[in-house]
Amino acid sequence: MSDTQLTPIEIGLTAAIVAIEDHEPLILTAHSSDGLAGLPFGPFDAPSHRTFEIGLRAWVEAQAGLRLGYVEQLYTFGDRGRHAEAGDTGAHMVSIGYLALTRAVGGELAATGASFEPWYRFLPWEDWREEPPAIIARDIIPALTLWAEEETPETTRALPRRDRVRFYFGLDGAPWDEERVLDRYELLYEAGLIEEARRDGRPAALARKQLPALGTSMRFDHRRILATAIARLRAKLKYRPVVFELLTAEFTLTELQYTVEAISGRHLHKQNFRRLVETEALVEPTGVMSTQTGGRPAALYRFRRDVLQERPAPGLRVRSRR
């Protein structure tokens, strides 16, 4: 056996905790002394936590005062450099990322410096609800086009840079696929166009005199974890009734539509959406009218739980391409 001493590994738990307020998707952030926002993070303590998820729930409740409902594991994030600094010989931090959904937005958070922030602040190119974000045509595509033109013929990637730019950002007739959130983030990182790439010492970023202002950067690789969480949630909407984890027990169809739009990042045709809701039979009327809409009273609905026994993949199969 080699006498080389291996770098010790520590396991952390990182949570992308999502909520909806005033039709906006929010992510819980914890601000640190370096001025950067990050996702809530805590160590896994094997003697105290029987499972990773138990550990995640325990420290989120202890630190932020939140009792999480829906939680699912995303991925293990352990790239070299994610927590290290130059010359750092300490333990390497590997983080297990989680997606969590909560309705608790209005209450006071226990953690000092913790707050819910709009997730499109960090990934502004993902919000297509009104129109294609101006940042794409103004800043992203020109920079990515120049980067793609620098590619040498000896590339080992199955798809060359030019094709990835076209497919991921919906150019030249390619459709915009809202689920490719992580692909788009990774492309910007690879091209050295975001601050995280510069911090990690990516040559493409270090070679640039100035980086474009592409959203708010986050600590470590937390923006990558956020992109992973958004992609998972957008896909999950179509085959699991997770959207109801973000709504109150009773809601109007307009509130349901706004919530789906907030997550998917695109506008939905009202009548088509209501036909879809009727076809999927995910909700049922309560028989009560809401007077809180600011206009005509609207019917209140609730999630129809029987659908979970009726078919294996109940969800709102909204059109996946734009």
Side-chain angles (χ1 to χ4, degrees):
M1 181 179 291
S2 172
D3 293 333
T4 303
Q5 185 174 1
L6 299 178
T7 301
I9 296 290
E10 293 182 359
I11 297 176
L13 305 169
T14 306
I17 303 174
V18 178
I20 301 289
E21 185 177 49
D22 295 331
H23 316 316
E24 284 298 317
L26 308 177
I27 193 77
L28 184 63
T29 64
H31 296 271
S32 60
S33 57
D34 58 13
L36 292 174
L39 300 175
F41 173 86
F44 172 69
D45 181 26
S48 303
H49 306 143
R50 183 168 54 85
T51 68
F52 292 141
E53 184 176 321
I54 289 174
L56 179 84
R57 291 179 181 275
W59 65 252
V60 167
E61 183 171 0
Q63 293 182 12
L66 285 178
R67 300 192 66 179
L68 298 178
Y70 179 92
V71 170
E72 71 167 278
Q73 190 176 127
L74 289 170
Y75 191 73
T76 300
F77 300 84
D79 288 358
R80 187 177 164 197
R82 67 179 307 272
H83 276 234
E85 297 178 357
D88 190 357
T89 58
H92 179 64
M93 179 65 72
V94 172
S95 185
I96 301 173
Y98 282 84
L99 166 66
L101 308 179
T102 182
R103 301 186 184 102
V105 180
E108 183 177 348
L109 296 172
T112 302
S115 62
F116 279 99
E117 303 286 344
W119 76 22
Y120 292 123
R121 177 176 300 171
F122 305 102
L123 302 166
W125 54 87
E126 293 294 337
D127 187 3
W128 287 58
R129 286 173 294 177
E130 297 295 333
E131 59 185 3
I135 194 174
I136 295 179
R138 185 187 66 231
D139 300 320
I140 292 177
I141 298 308
L144 284 179
T145 299
L146 290 175
W147 171 74
E149 291 173 350
E150 297 169 355
E151 187 172 36
T152 61
E154 294 80 20
T155 180
T156 58
R157 297 292 297 261
L159 284 177
R161 292 177 180 179
R162 188 185 304 275
D163 286 344
R164 284 186 285 146
V165 172
R166 183 167 68 89
F167 291 145
Y168 298 165
F169 281 92
L171 303 180
D172 302 329
W176 173 268
D177 185 346
E178 71 270 12
E179 293 181 29
R180 287 193 175 272
V181 188
L182 182 59
D183 289 328
R184 286 185 283 271
Y185 176 84
E186 295 284 15
L187 195 65
L188 295 171
Y189 180 88
E190 182 184 345
L193 293 173
I194 55 175
E195 177 62 22
E196 286 87 339
R198 187 197 62 76
R199 291 204 311 253
D200 290 351
R202 295 281 300 190
L206 296 177
R208 297 181 183 277
K209 295 181 179 179
Q210 185 175 1
L211 298 181
L214 300 185
T216 302
S217 63
M218 302 182 81
R219 301 182 71 204
F220 310 131
D221 56 356
H222 288 192
R223 199 153 47 148
R224 175 178 282 117
I225 298 174
L226 175 58
T228 305
I230 295 174
R232 176 73 62 84
L233 185 54
R234 285 180 172 182
K236 204 103 178 183
L237 281 179
K238 298 164 187 173
Y239 62 91
R240 288 289 184 270
V242 292
V243 66
F244 301 104
E245 301 286 345
L246 296 165
L247 289 161
T248 56
E250 297 182 353
F251 47 84
T252 67
L253 293 183
T254 298
E255 290 170 337
L256 175 59
Q257 179 175 339
Y258 282 151
T259 301
V260 174
E261 288 178 334
I263 295 168
S264 65
R266 60 189 182 81
H267 175 71
L268 300 172
H269 186 275
K270 180 178 178 179
Q271 296 306 321
N272 289 346
F273 178 78
R274 296 199 172 195
R275 279 194 292 269
L276 175 65
V277 170
E278 181 179 350
T279 300
E280 297 292 342
L282 293 178
V283 301
E284 59 187 6
T286 64
V288 177
M289 303 294 287
S290 171
T291 58
Q292 306 299 316
T293 59
R296 295 172 55 188
L300 286 172
Y301 290 79
R302 58 177 166 246
F303 172 52
R304 193 173 69 84
R305 300 186 182 279
D306 290 347
V307 75
L308 296 173
Q309 300 176 353
E310 294 170 358
R311 59 182 188 271
L316 287 168
R317 303 176 193 279
V318 293
R319 185 169 50 91
S320 61
R321 311 280 186 195
R322 183 185 178 110

